[in-house]
Amino acid sequence: MRLLRSTDLALRVLMRLAVAGADANPTTREVAADMGVPYTHTTKVVAELQHLGLVDARRGRGGGLSLTERGRKASVGSVVRVFEGDGDVVECEGPTPCPLNSACRLRGALRRAQEAFFASLDPLTIEDMVADPTGPVLLGISSGPPRS
């Protein structure tokens, strides 16, 4: 299974914020630079994470991003589900529907495999994902000293 870029970025943003110090609230631009991804993509993902209550984003001097307690304890599986959506693994409908659609067993098998994938991520939290050795590596890629 391949994750959408937005799902990957959402998980990386959450992990990056999980290792930020209490006084270090990086901006969306700084997080995008740290992750080596476009700022515009990062803003969309951060907006969705804020909407979900996982990230707090404050504007202006002294603002920035911080992980909420809900974000720290969030299940990786639930985050992946939200960003991946409810769609099937394969496209059976559409302009050229699959001729096996009425008697296909593949779609059900792939749906079960997809759910098993999500279920394997459910017990893992964002906090779990930044345990050693990941946390120190994430700290090492930060864009520099905190802003004043």
Side-chain angles (χ1 to χ4, degrees):
M1 180 168 178
R2 185 176 182 102
L3 296 179
L4 298 171
R5 285 185 182 153
S6 59
T7 305
D8 174 46
L9 182 54
L11 293 171
R12 290 194 284 156
V13 166
L14 292 170
M15 291 169 61
R16 172 63 182 87
L17 295 177
V19 297
D23 295 331
N25 294 326
T27 65
T28 302
R29 194 170 298 283
E30 289 169 341
V31 170
D34 290 348
M35 298 290 116
V37 295
Y39 170 72
T40 54
H41 294 154
T42 308
T43 57
K44 291 175 187 174
V45 167
V46 166
E48 181 63 20
L49 292 171
Q50 185 179 15
H51 175 74
L52 295 169
L54 304 178
V55 168
D56 184 28
R58 290 175 307 284
R59 293 179 172 261
R61 187 169 178 84
L65 304 175
S66 61
L67 193 61
T68 64
E69 188 58 30
R70 182 177 178 183
R72 192 169 298 288
K73 301 292 185 193
S75 158
V76 173
S78 67
V79 173
V80 172
R81 275 185 186 88
V82 167
F83 277 86
E84 290 294 309
D86 292 330
D88 284 324
V89 176
V90 293
E91 181 67 40
C92 299
E93 305 296 330
T96 55
C98 176
L100 299 175
N101 200 12
S102 64
C104 182
R105 296 171 51 141
L106 179 61
R107 183 178 8 181
L110 290 174
R111 174 54 95 177
R112 287 188 298 279
Q114 180 183 35
E115 187 49 43
F117 171 74
F118 292 148
S120 71
L121 297 174
D122 283 340
L124 303 171
T125 66
I126 298 302
E127 272 187 334
D128 295 335
M129 295 297 95
V130 297
D132 281 345
T134 306
V137 171
L138 281 166
L139 285 173
I141 64 169
S142 70
S143 56
R147 295 168 284 118
S148 52

